[in-house]
Amino acid sequence: ALARQLEDHLNVMVLPVGSLDGLVMLRQGLCHLSGCHLLDINGEYNLPFVQHFFPDRTMLVVTLAFREQGLMLFPGNPKQFHNLSDLVRPGIVFINRQKGSGTRLWFDNEMHRLGLPTEKIRGYNREVRLHTECAHLVQSREADVAIGLRAAASQAGLDFIPLFHERYDMVIPQEQLEMLHPLVDTLQTRTFRQAVKNLLGYDLTHAGEQIPL
């Protein structure tokens, strides 16, 4: 939706590589900005990671949205999932996100916090890159459960058990700001917010706000 509204100003190409790889590519100059939803062990989103990757550069962190993630399940919840502890039950097939993604980082940290052994999860080592791909695999019954966005679950007609809300930011080098001003400005427009109002699980109340580093 954002890319469509920027067509007269910017040609936006999105590469789904995961938050950590996105920051690495930004550091290497392979992109102009990177999306990021990485939760630090101290409970802070994104800022510690930006400070780690760019200690010598001036960076801007601009919020795109808050969004909801949880368990994506086949309609009717036939396997009777209730929480993450159900993932270690025998016979349950899980689909994981790739290493370096914000979702995977949250999941691994949460499993460790709960003392749940990931080696008992069937499918833990099967990784996919997209929330929509996770949803498709559950929809086609190639998996029983995956963690992903409420929006992806809704689009695929899946049941959904909420687990957490996250802040998804865009990380922009100061030297790219002039070129990317149309993008940052568009985030705060009524037109953009109206375009995504029906995307379930997204909260754009703080879209376009800059977060001090």
Side-chain angles (χ1 to χ4, degrees):
L2 182 60
R4 286 195 298 270
Q5 294 195 19
L6 288 167
E7 285 177 344
D8 293 338
H9 307 282
L10 293 171
N11 181 24
V12 180
M13 180 173 66
V14 180
L15 302 176
V17 300
S19 292
L20 282 176
D21 283 347
L23 292 177
V24 170
M25 290 182 176
L26 188 61
R27 177 75 202 183
Q28 295 173 338
L30 300 177
C31 56
H32 297 97
L33 75 161
S34 177
C36 189
H37 60 116
L38 293 167
L39 183 62
D40 181 70
I41 57 173
N42 295 319
E44 174 62 65
Y45 267 102
N46 303 328
L47 301 187
F49 294 90
V50 176
Q51 292 163 343
H52 172 75
F53 277 95
F54 304 95
D56 55 342
R57 296 171 61 182
T58 302
M59 307 297 291
L60 302 176
V61 178
V62 179
T63 295
L64 175 62
F66 283 77
R67 58 187 196 172
E68 188 176 24
Q69 293 212 49
L71 297 175
M72 301 192 291
L73 313 166
F74 195 78
N77 192 7
K79 295 295 180 75
Q80 294 297 299
F81 284 98
H82 301 286
N83 50 49
L84 288 176
S85 64
D86 291 318
L87 296 178
V88 300
R89 282 166 30 200
I92 299 300
V93 179
F94 176 66
I95 294 293
N96 211 348
R97 292 295 307 284
Q98 83 273 26
K99 297 180 183 69
S101 69
T103 303
R104 175 65 175 270
L105 181 63
W106 180 91
F107 176 65
D108 285 347
N109 287 341
E110 187 67 4
M111 294 297 284
H112 177 74
R113 186 185 72 83
L114 295 172
L116 296 172
T118 56
E119 62 271 16
K120 289 189 176 181
I121 299 177
R122 181 181 174 191
Y124 176 81
N125 293 319
R126 182 181 179 185
E127 302 176 356
V128 300
R129 288 189 168 271
L130 300 173
H131 293 271
T132 50
E133 188 176 0
C134 286
H136 172 73
L137 291 169
V138 175
Q139 182 188 51
S140 62
R141 310 204 83 161
E142 293 182 54
D144 298 309
V145 60
I147 293 180
L149 294 169
R150 179 183 284 276
S154 174
Q155 290 171 348
L158 301 177
D159 282 6
F160 182 82
I161 297 176
L163 292 175
F164 64 102
H165 286 83
E166 62 180 1
R167 193 183 76 231
Y168 190 102
D169 296 327
M170 292 187 294
V171 182
I172 304 172
Q174 176 69 40
E175 64 269 21
Q176 302 293 347
L177 183 58
E178 183 175 355
M179 182 187 70
L180 295 175
H181 257 307
L183 184 149
V184 176
D185 291 344
T186 298
L187 292 178
Q188 301 189 50
T189 63
R190 179 179 177 83
T191 303
F192 171 66
R193 294 169 190 246
Q194 286 292 111
V196 296
K197 68 178 182 179
N198 293 324
L199 196 58
L200 294 181
Y202 275 79
D203 178 1
L204 274 70
T205 302
H206 298 282
E209 293 183 5
Q210 184 175 333
I211 302 172
L213 280 168

